[in-house]
Amino acid sequence: MNKESMGFPEQERIIEQILKTVELETGVNRSDFISNSRKEIYLEARKKATKLLIVEAQLSDDGIAKVLGVSKSTANTYRNSLGFHRRY
């Protein structure tokens, strides 16, 4: 199922579930995602969230940036570091 065929409430539910999963696995919550901290634990949590947001919610860099509170270029850097290529 791609993003276009997924209803907005469904995608929102998936995003919330992803953030809960990342919080349980890493101890980093959503408010920490939007901090400017470069602590390793926060970076790893953002990367884990990015991977799940790409695979499960099928978000673009723009969508990932909005969810994580980072710039679009930072979201793209996370995507690239995980071996995903930007979709055009």
Side-chain angles (χ1 to χ4, degrees):
M1 178 182 297
N2 65 28
K3 163 172 75 173
E4 287 74 32
S5 65
M6 197 182 315
F8 183 72
E10 177 65 12
Q11 189 174 36
E12 204 170 69
R13 184 191 65 73
I14 290 169
I15 291 167
E16 287 302 318
Q17 187 58 47
I18 288 168
L19 296 176
K20 286 178 188 174
T21 298
V22 171
E23 182 174 4
L24 289 172
E25 291 180 5
T26 66
V28 177
N29 64 35
R30 190 175 193 162
S31 64
D32 293 331
F33 285 153
I34 61 173
S35 75
N36 288 329
S37 177
R38 292 182 179 239
K39 288 184 181 178
E40 187 69 24
I41 190 168
Y42 295 155
L43 291 173
E44 291 307 312
R46 288 183 197 120
K47 285 183 182 181
K48 181 180 282 284
T50 297
K51 181 177 182 178
L52 294 172
L53 290 167
I54 292 167
V55 173
E56 295 183 22
Q58 300 181 7
L59 291 184
S60 65
D61 292 346
D62 190 48
I64 293 165
K66 288 177 183 174
V67 171
L68 298 183
V70 298
S71 70
K72 190 174 173 181
S73 64
T74 298
N76 183 256
T77 299
Y78 293 156
R79 175 187 294 276
N80 291 337
S81 74
L82 294 165
F84 291 97
H85 299 289
R86 187 186 317 186
R87 292 181 315 200
Y88 294 96

